[in-house]
Amino acid sequence: MPYQVPEPKIFACTQSMELGQKIAKSYGTDLGKVLFSRYSDGEFQPSFEESIRGTRIFIIGSTHPGPENLMEMLLMIDAAKRASARHITAVMPYFGWARQDRKDKPRVPIAAKLVAKMLETAGATRIITMDLHADQIQGFFEKPVDHLFASTLFLPYLKKLKLKNLTIASPDMGGSKRAYAYSKALSSDVVICYKQRAKANKISHMELIGEVTDRNVVLVDDMVDTAGTLTKAADLMMERGALSVRAITTHGLLSGNAYERIEKSKLQELIITDSIPTDAKSDKIKVLSCADLFADVMHRVHHNTSIASKFIM
C-alpha cells in the first residue's frame, strides 16, 4: 500500500493566536492544541497535545520584541523536532530583530543573523515571512525562505480608492526601492523623504525630494513603530501643498506615543496588516488581514506547487 502523506497541522504561539485561528480557518482546518505551562519565575514550557509524528507542521508566531515571543517560537520548534515532526515550518508574519541586519557602528551585534541561526538550530526546516526589513536577511538562512510581500494586500486596496494625482512616497532613503515598485504598479510619481536622526526613534531633520503640490500622497513603509517618521513626513507634505496623505505599512508595532502622534497628525489614514496583534486605538487605522495570503502559501508549500503568483512585485 503506497504511503499517504498526512495533512499538515497548524499551531500558533500565544501572541499570534488570533491570526493563527484566522489562517487555520482559511486553510480549512482547526488550530492544533498546544498547552503552555508557566512557572512562577516566568519560565514557560509548550507541549503539543496531539501527535505530530511524521507530519508537516506550521508554527505561526510573529517575533516582535520582547524576547519572550522569540523564545516561545524556538521552544515550540524544538518540541516539534523532538516529537518527530517530518517538516517544521516557522510562519513568521513579522520577523523581529530585523533592524539589526548589519554592523552600523563598532561593537554591536547582527541580531537578525543570530535569530536566523537560532531558528535553524532549534529545528526549523523552512521559514515563511512577510516584508523583511531588508531583503538580504534571507541570506542569513541556510534553509528555504518564502519571503512574501504585503503588496498583494495593499495594491488592490489602493486601486479601489481611485485616487487622482496619486504619488507614492518613501519616508526615508532606505525605502526608495519599495516606493518605486509601488509606483510602477500604480503608474504614479515618486517622492522620497530625506531624514537625519539624532538617535534611534528621534528625527532631527527631514526634507522632501520631489513635488507633492496638489497630489494625493501614499507613504509606503515596512513597519511603523513610534510613528515619528510617518507623522512628520505627512505633516511636511501637507505643508508643501499635498491634497491628502495616507500611509501603508506592513507591520504595525505602534509603540510609545504612536497612537497619540497618529491622531494629532495630518495623516488621513494608516493601513496596516494584522501580522502583529493591535488594538487599533485610532479611527484613522485600518487593518487588512494577511490570513488568506499565508493560508494559500502554506497550502502551496505543502503540495509543492508554485507560489510565484503571490509575488506582485
Side-chain angles (χ1 to χ4, degrees):
M1 184 175 179
Y3 173 71
Q4 298 292 322
V5 178
E7 282 299 303
K9 294 187 177 183
I10 302 174
F11 300 90
C13 299
T14 54
Q15 79 280 4
S16 296
M17 194 62 67
E18 183 177 348
L19 177 58
Q21 290 170 343
K22 291 179 183 177
I23 292 174
K25 182 178 180 180
S26 180
Y27 194 98
T29 188
D30 295 324
L31 205 57
K33 296 180 177 63
V34 182
L35 175 66
F36 285 90
S37 302
R38 293 186 178 270
Y39 299 93
S40 60
D41 65 349
E43 181 181 340
F44 56 90
Q45 179 189 65
S47 170
F48 292 96
E49 296 298 293
E50 56 189 271
S51 176
I52 56 175
R53 183 178 297 274
T55 65
R56 180 194 295 276
I57 72 164
F58 295 99
I59 303 175
I60 300 164
S62 290
T63 55
H64 49 292
E68 184 171 302
N69 296 327
L70 173 59
M71 193 65 186
E72 196 173 295
M73 171 63 80
L74 293 171
L75 290 178
M76 287 186 69
I77 292 171
D78 186 72
K81 176 180 66 177
R82 298 177 190 281
S84 301
R86 182 170 58 93
H87 291 298
I88 306 167
T89 301
V91 181
M92 307 168 71
Y94 174 68
F95 182 86
W97 312 90
R99 283 175 283 190
Q100 300 179 57
D101 62 333
R102 67 195 186 284
K103 285 188 69 174
D104 55 355
K105 64 179 182 178
R107 300 178 295 279
V108 296
I110 303 179
K113 183 171 184 179
L114 175 61
V115 170
K117 295 305 177 188
M118 291 167 70
L119 289 165
E120 289 180 342
T121 300
T125 58
R126 190 180 201 96
I127 308 295
I128 302 178
T129 188
M130 179 172 65
D131 278 355
L132 288 167
H133 188 63
D135 291 350
Q136 62 267 24
I137 290 174
Q138 297 171 78
F140 293 161
F141 290 90
E142 298 303 324
K143 304 294 184 182
V145 177
D146 296 311
H147 182 211
L148 311 180
F149 299 109
S151 54
T152 309
L153 310 173
F154 291 139
L155 284 175
Y157 180 81
L158 290 176
K159 289 175 180 177
K160 285 181 181 179
L161 294 178
K162 297 181 180 179
L163 296 172
K164 296 181 179 179
N165 298 326
L166 175 64
T167 292
I168 299 296
S170 172
D172 53 38
M173 299 297 288
S176 58
K177 179 183 175 182
R178 184 181 294 106
Y180 279 115
Y182 271 87
S183 70
K184 183 178 179 181
L186 296 166
S187 302
S188 66
D189 294 334
V190 178
V191 170
I192 307 295
C193 294
Y194 173 72
K195 67 181 180 183
Q196 293 178 325
R197 290 192 183 275
K199 58 181 180 179
N201 294 129
K202 188 167 183 178
I203 301 168
S204 61
H205 182 70
M206 178 178 284
E207 281 296 337
L208 286 181
I209 302 173
E211 183 59 56
V212 296
T213 304
D214 296 326
R215 311 289 295 180
N216 287 299
V217 181
V218 176
L219 284 154
V220 180
D221 209 352
D222 65 310
M223 68 174 69
V224 52
D225 190 354
T226 62
T229 298
L230 279 183
T231 54
K232 191 175 184 69
D235 292 347
L236 178 60
M237 289 173 179
M238 291 299 291
E239 290 172 9
R240 299 288 176 87
L243 296 176
S244 68
V245 181
R246 290 173 173 81
I248 54 175
T249 60
T250 306
H251 310 296
L253 283 81
L254 300 172
S255 65
N257 297 325
Y259 289 105
E260 183 181 349
R261 286 193 176 110
I262 291 166
E263 279 298 313
K264 290 181 178 179
S265 76
K266 295 179 182 178
L267 265 178
Q268 183 169 326
E269 189 177 31
L270 171 63
I271 306 102
I272 60 176
T273 74
D274 55 356
S275 64
I276 296 173
T278 178
D279 294 332
K281 300 174 183 176
S282 170
D283 291 337
K284 292 184 177 182
I285 298 175
K286 180 177 179 61
V287 181
L288 302 181
S289 181
C290 56
D292 290 344
L293 171 61
F294 277 96
D296 189 13
V297 170
M298 288 158 55
H299 186 274
R300 290 166 186 252
V301 165
H302 180 63
H303 292 281
N304 297 311
T305 57
S306 173
I307 63 171
S309 63
K310 296 302 171 183
F311 298 104
I312 291 183
M313 61 183 192

